[in-house]
Amino acid sequence: MGFIVGVSAVLGLALVLVPVLGGDFLAWQIGLYLLYGVAAQGVGLAWGRGGFLPLGNAVFFGLAAYGAAMVLRATDGALMVNLLAMLGIAAVLAAMAWGLAALVFHGRSDSGPFFSLITLALALIVAQLAETNPAITGGFNGYAGFPPLAGLDPFGMLYYAIVALVVAVTAALMLLDRLPAGLVLRGLVAQEGRLQLLGFATNRVKAWAFAGAAFITALAGALFASHQGIVTPQATGFVLSAELVIWAAVGGRLHPLGALFGAVAIGLLSAELRDTLPWWEVLVALIFLVVVLLAPGGVAELLAQGARRLGWRHRGGRTAPGSAPPSRAEMASGALRLEDVHLRAGSVQILKGLSVACPETGILCVIGPNGAGKTTMLKAITGAMRVQSGRITLGSRDITGAPPHAALSAGIGRKMQIPTVFRGLSVTENLQLAALAGRARAADFLRPAALGWCTPALSRLLHHPGVPLAGLGGQDAGSLPQGHRQLLELALTLAPEPRIVLLDEPTAGMSPEETALMVELIRDYQAQSGAFVLVIEHDMALVAALEARVLVLHQGRALAEGTLDAIRADPAVAAVYAGGAK
Amino acid sequence: METALLIGLNAAWQIAALALLALGLAIVFGLLRILNMAHGEFVMLGAYSHVLTAQMGLPPVMALVVCLGFVGLAALLVERLVVRHLYDRMFDSLLATWALSILMREAVELVWGRSFRNVPLPIEGVTQIGSTGYPTYRLLVIALIVGFFVLLWLWYRRSLTGVRLRAMVSNPSLARTAGINTARLSAMAFVTGCLCAGLAGLVLAPVLAIEPNMGLDALIRSFFALVVGGLGTLEGLGIGVAVVGGLQAGLSAAVSQTAGYLGVLVLAIIFLWRRPDGLYRRR
């Protein structure tokens, strides 16, 4: 917290000194690029923290500028009315951004080109509408004839209002990184699939990131109107949109100060050099391309890497531990049933009428030759793949076709065949995210205390003498060896205390000692929670160690079910394994 | 009757032009899984080939040769220096080609300035169909485009290179073990896609306003047509341009240009939201 206050104070002081040392005209110039910088911070938020690239963010800048200009003209610059109106405009634009992102990202888990192109098209449309409706917007000539905010002189006092906005937005963005909400956003970029399995509707997480981006950009646009005294269609267009992306990329999208300084530095240099060096714009585009190819984090990330190499490490403030509220996943009840499930992927029919009635508690091992449909069965249960027909129920609830993020609140936790952990986040941060899963309510995402949550299942697991995770806190989860990664993913899966646990080859790539530990942890969790645990496994020794019932899948159907001894004696199973049954 | 014929011809023109514009984007996306954000800029380079030809003092007929050389060289450079490193990295390739598009726009603006340019129609005059007159150049272009697509489809289905390409699309690593030089094939596919874009710019230049920012509109319209039809197949391209081109022509005739543009946008958003795979699916 002290770090944020310190940085904000230094930033504010430095900016306040600009008019004193450099004169009012320089302050006016820098004021413009500071506003662009705040808009670029908005792009940085969506791109760096939301993982998707908005190519048309000037829409929010320009619309807010037009809106603010109209309010200023109507109210003759009265301070309070205008401040409220500006906040209102920004809020409305943020709500529209939220809706758009939630809609477009619904039901898909990529951040690909689709959304970027929609935002780009929106920028084109809005700019065209602004040009072709001169009665409302003043058309090409722009919308003018309104007083600045509260009569503040654009070459004088208005600069300080801009500085206040810059400091407030920068501090807020830095604060966001310390909050659970910021952690969720970083988890989204690192590993969207796992975040969904932790119960987060990632389309809504992205929508919040985009809404935040729109809000910040709109505030900058609203002040832009007062600063310039005129609003033209260019303020909404794709040229500015593209520049915002360039500034955020070159300055560094991952750091609030990166985008800001990117905009101010490139903007000021452009203003100086555009006329004297004809190839300046080409050079900027070239720098952008080189940054994209060689230094994707921009200048800020290069500086941060350098600082880390010199041994300067920013220690995240330690949050006092506290006990977490109950998880929605542990409230669920009832047994998992699959009835005549058919699932096709492309031209391959994988599940052909699979029916399984799981017990309400206990452990069930699923075995079967490659291609039997074991992993696909889990994907069907968690909604990662759509079933063509049949029903999947949990107690009295029909969960057929429910989206992946709904699985957790239905009581289902799933561990993947290839462990998915949040790479780039520390082990501690991975566990913090898992402790939020299924427990955090909306307000908790803004409470730093929620980062200190301990959950019973997680504590038991971490305190087990064989589990090394507690000592690895600061390490990047992506750099863990396979065995540790398996354990971490198990911890992520069990932290919300699901009633139904689906484990897909949990001991793959593990040493015999680690395998024994995994068996012990699974049995311990099952015994403690009374949950139902389904384990896909190839290793018969492990199946025996789990002392579980066994279900054999073959060609998309259930072939046999019973105790391990009964399965071993079953001639149909032996035939499937072609004499390979041990 | 006359207006119906005129509207039909206009729709055919819109659809054919859009199909030509979108083809390069579809090739690069379908074969390489790269959304080439600089696609429109290759269209722009194709259109500027006319300007370049005139500056070099060559007769207008030579524009085709200039276009192939100019755009081909640019595409080859781009593939070597940028795109080659980004296969299988969709998000990075999106951003890099976006950066590239800005670079190309700025470079063209530096060389030829920001002002609009016009290219005279190579074939003046109007052809009478019944009692309706329609520009001869447009009729010719429609016929050329239809012929070009038929040949392309036959080539893709029948030729050895077509088989190799389809092998590469369905399983790149298996194609490599089968002795197919996928690096060269990818480079060829990218350059071919860009050449198609350049040819579209060359052919449509007389009916477009030529300026450094013209590529953006080409990109957006091509992309949305492909989204509606289904990205990455010739069949999807056909359906997509028919729907989008038809809708735009219809709304433009019935209401206004802006309405046509808005209609396409709304349709594209609906598809991105409900049917991201488009209308046409493989098998």
Side-chain angles (χ1 to χ4, degrees), chain A residues 1-12 167-179 256-257 314 317 448:
Chain A
M1 201 55 77
F3 180 72
I4 298 177
V5 174
V7 170
S8 306
V10 171
L11 178 69
V167 172
V169 168
T170 306
L173 287 173
M174 289 173 72
L175 184 64
L176 176 68
D177 276 346
R178 308 289 178 86
L179 295 178
L257 289 172
H314 172 68

Side-chain angles (χ1 to χ4, degrees), chain A residues 174-257:
Chain A
M174 289 173 72
L175 184 64
L176 176 68
D177 276 346
R178 308 289 178 86
L179 295 178
L183 185 61
V184 172
L185 287 174
R186 286 189 293 146
L188 170 74
V189 178
Q191 180 53 257
E192 184 167 352
R194 174 49 60 186
L195 199 65
Q196 287 179 337
L197 287 174
L198 289 181
F200 294 92
T202 50
N203 71 319
R204 270 179 259 150
V205 178
K206 288 177 195 171
W208 280 114
F210 195 45
F215 189 72
I216 296 171
T217 310
L219 287 180
L223 268 185
F224 171 83
S226 290
H227 187 268
Q228 294 291 298
I230 184 168
V231 184
T232 63
Q234 272 121 44
T236 72
F238 81 92
V239 175
L240 180 58
S241 300
E243 281 180 320
L244 294 179
V245 173
I246 295 178
W247 294 328
V250 175
R253 63 184 190 276
L254 298 170
H255 302 266
L257 289 172

